[in-house]
Structures are given as structure tokens and as C-alpha cells.
Amino acid sequence: MNLKSILSNFWVESTLNSYSIILFSDNKILAFIVLLVTFCTPQIGLIGLLFLLFYHLILVALGYSKTDIRSGVLGFNAVLVGLSIAYSYQMNQYFIGLFLISVLTTIVVTIWCKNYFSKYHLPFLTIPFFIIVNIISLSTKSF
């Protein structure tokens, strides 16, 4: 298996594109560097990556367009939310529930923002990230 066939794999490509769009790029090398940088704190990097993969898995299971998923436009907010909750909250038994609720909330808010703003031909960028992080932080004040 050569490098080109690995990079054209749906899961690898959608993951790398999600990381590269954070910096408004579509460069796979830059995406890999950003992915590696998130692993400077291994727990945060791993949770961010798992959040993105779980997010993509649910989108595929729901039958969402693989083209949109592969492009990374939907996934970069998931990366940001995953890294945010990994940084903000301790790993314990409650974190798993927070993780799952955050993934589902990210899916709903991201798709809603994408559909709403596309009616007006506007980009939705990080608006879902800000909405989701505020919802999570307000609902977990004592967590």
C-alpha cells in the first residue's frame, strides 16, 4: 500500500482535511503537522482525534453526504470542540457522557448552521464551535 492510496482513504482524507481547514488550507502535510501538534499533550490530541472520528462515524451512519464529510468542512468544528472539552474537563466517569452529548450536539448545531447560512450564501466557519462550547460550559458549571 503506497502513500497515495492511504491518503485517498475516506477516513484518512476526511480527518486530515478537517485538521487542515482549521488553518484555511487543504494541504495534507500541514494537516498532519497540526494533528501532531495536538498530541503535544497526548490526552488532548487523542480525545480530539477520537471526537472527530466518532463524529464522522455518526454522520456516515446517518447517511450524510460523504463528499461533504470528506471535504473537512463539517469536521473542523468537531476537532475544535473535541480539543476544547479535552482541555477543559478532567477524564472521569462523567467525561464519557459529556463526550457523547458533545458529539451529538456538534452534529445538530453544525448541520443546522451549515443549512441555515447556506440559504443566504454565507459561510458558517466557527459559529457552531462557539455555540457548542458555550452550551457545554454553561451546562457543566459544577463539573
Side-chain angles (χ1 to χ4, degrees):
M1 195 176 248
N2 62 16
L3 184 61
K4 187 168 182 135
S5 66
I6 292 172
L7 290 177
S8 66
N9 178 306
F10 170 77
W11 297 101
V12 173
E13 189 173 4
S14 61
T15 299
L16 289 177
N17 286 341
S18 296
Y19 276 89
S20 68
I21 286 186
I22 293 171
L23 298 176
F24 303 105
S25 174
D26 62 352
N27 187 323
K28 302 280 189 278
I29 295 170
L30 177 64
F32 189 70
I33 292 169
V34 172
L35 177 63
L36 286 178
V37 167
T38 64
F39 277 89
C40 285
T41 306
Q43 180 178 344
I44 292 174
L46 180 63
I47 291 171
L49 180 60
L50 288 174
F51 194 95
L52 177 65
L53 293 174
F54 196 61
Y55 175 84
H56 282 161
L57 183 67
I58 292 173
L59 285 177
V60 169
L62 291 173
Y64 209 82
S65 166
K66 282 195 172 185
T67 306
D68 285 344
I69 298 169
R70 184 184 296 258
S71 72
V73 172
L74 295 174
F76 77 95
N77 280 298
V79 171
L80 295 173
V81 172
L83 294 174
S84 174
I85 66 167
Y87 179 77
S88 301
Y89 300 101
Q90 295 178 10
M91 276 292 291
N92 56 28
Q93 68 272 19
Y94 303 113
F95 185 81
I96 296 168
L98 177 68
F99 182 89
L100 295 174
I101 290 169
S102 299
V103 169
L104 296 175
T105 306
T106 303
I107 288 171
V108 170
V109 173
T110 302
I111 291 175
W112 178 82
C113 284
K114 179 185 182 299
N115 291 334
Y116 180 78
F117 286 106
S118 68
K119 282 194 298 192
Y120 303 105
H121 304 289
L122 296 169
F124 63 98
L125 299 175
T126 58
I127 293 172
F129 166 71
F130 291 118
I131 292 170
I132 297 158
V133 168
N134 283 306
I135 289 171
I136 292 168
S137 67
L138 288 172
S139 64
T140 58
K141 274 290 195 208
S142 63
F143 181 53

